[in-house]
Amino acid sequence: MIANPPLVSIITITYNRGELIHRCIESIQRQTYQNYEHIIVDGNSSDDTERIVKSYNDSHIKYIKLNMNGCSYQMKEGSKIAKGKYVTFLDDDDEYLPDKIEKQVAKFETLSEEYGIVYCWMTYFDSKNPDVPIHIHKHELRGDVHVEAVTGPNISGTPTLMVRNSVFQEYGGTYNDNCGLTGSDWELCARICQKYKVDYVPESLIKIYVNHGGTRLTTDIQKQQRIVFAKYFLETFKNVFEEDFKRAKNHVYDICSYSAELARYRELFHYYPLLIKTKPTLREIIVPLVKCIVK
């Protein structure tokens, strides 16, 4: 056990998930680490979320009901009242394993102030078949990872993150919705990792449930947002890419691929020479061109 365990703030943002939020709340109540506050930020749910949360009558829970919803807005409101030394996150339909918080705090308490994030691994499950794991989100990066953090989503996965609260507040206490995508944990990690080191607990300590129903489609608007997101990375972290432009491949490829799908040919052929400079695979060279033909 940890001597003088510091307070940990767990932030859950929710909206009309009354039928699912019990999984999140109860997994936190089962934590071996008990010095925590669970901040549940409700984006004005119209279902029985409020009744269900309050029915637990748990002093650890701080329930806030806002008059509007939005991932970044709700996260910011939660971070404003977070009093913990560390802050971590759990989606309203997922769950922590019982020792998740304890193991991350134990790791953090051994680290210097140079470290801003301790992450862990997470396992995906199909809600229709919850006993069979689908995939483990598993990375093994530690220390100064400012390059890896911008070349791909190599650390992100909001529920895996435990962030030093002072660092989280330094970076706005929420996501940056001016990057093209809303609620991007990748972008948040990329910014933090330009200044702070990371470490990790080499275990899957979270269960992520997918396939709750409904069809997920990539719309033209979402494709446009992905282009904006990729351009944002190229500009914001250009110092990293200037050192070695091959690091920009994922972002340049996304611009080319989505531009082809949207018939934005001027944009495609502006970035296509840059894609070639990143030393792409044969598939990455061909796919945008094929999409032009199919379009």
Side-chain angles (χ1 to χ4, degrees), residues 49-235:
T49 295
E50 181 174 2
R51 179 190 62 79
I52 290 171
V53 172
K54 290 182 176 179
S55 72
Y56 283 95
N57 195 29
D58 185 342
S59 61
H60 288 98
I61 294 175
K62 295 182 178 179
Y63 175 78
I64 309 169
K65 187 164 186 177
L66 307 177
N67 59 9
M68 60 179 288
N69 62 71
C71 182
S72 298
Y73 171 61
Q74 290 175 246
M75 182 70 80
K76 180 65 175 179
E77 293 303 304
S79 72
K80 285 180 180 178
I81 67 168
K83 304 299 183 186
K85 180 179 180 180
Y86 305 115
V87 60
T88 187
F89 318 93
L90 183 59
D91 292 346
D92 54 14
D93 55 344
D94 299 324
E95 61 182 306
Y96 286 165
L97 269 62
D99 52 359
K100 189 266 188 188
I101 297 176
E102 181 178 1
K103 288 184 174 179
Q104 284 188 295
V105 171
K107 171 63 71 174
F108 237 137
E109 290 290 281
T110 68
L111 302 173
S112 72
E113 296 287 328
E114 295 178 288
Y115 286 80
I117 296 174
V118 167
Y119 67 98
C120 62
W121 301 337
M122 60 184 180
T123 304
Y124 286 88
F125 293 84
D126 189 324
S127 293
K128 310 299 182 185
N129 190 14
D131 296 323
V132 181
I134 301 171
H135 167 70
I136 298 180
H137 182 88
K138 176 180 178 181
H139 293 288
E140 299 179 334
L141 297 169
R142 57 165 47 106
D144 178 359
V145 298
H146 77 279
V147 171
E148 294 87 345
V150 302
T151 57
N154 296 314
I155 299 169
S156 55
T158 305
T160 73
L161 305 176
M162 179 172 283
V163 185
R164 200 179 296 276
N165 198 3
S166 59
V167 172
F168 191 51
Q169 301 302 332
E170 178 183 346
Y171 285 84
T174 191
Y175 306 108
N176 173 17
D177 281 353
N178 295 316
C179 67
L181 298 178
T182 60
S184 173
D185 46 12
W186 178 4
E187 192 279 337
L188 177 62
C189 284
R191 279 187 289 128
I192 293 175
C193 289
Q194 299 311 296
K195 181 177 179 180
Y196 293 95
K197 295 179 180 180
V198 307
D199 208 334
Y200 70 97
V201 176
E203 295 181 54
S204 180
L205 299 173
I206 304 158
K207 292 184 176 181
I208 305 294
Y209 294 92
V210 297
N211 191 24
H212 295 304
T215 302
R216 300 185 67 179
L217 301 174
T218 302
T219 66
D220 284 353
I221 291 177
Q222 289 170 324
K223 293 172 186 176
Q224 293 167 11
Q225 291 171 335
R226 290 298 298 269
I227 292 173
V228 172
F229 184 72
K231 289 181 177 180
Y232 168 90
F233 262 74
L234 292 178
E235 177 60 28

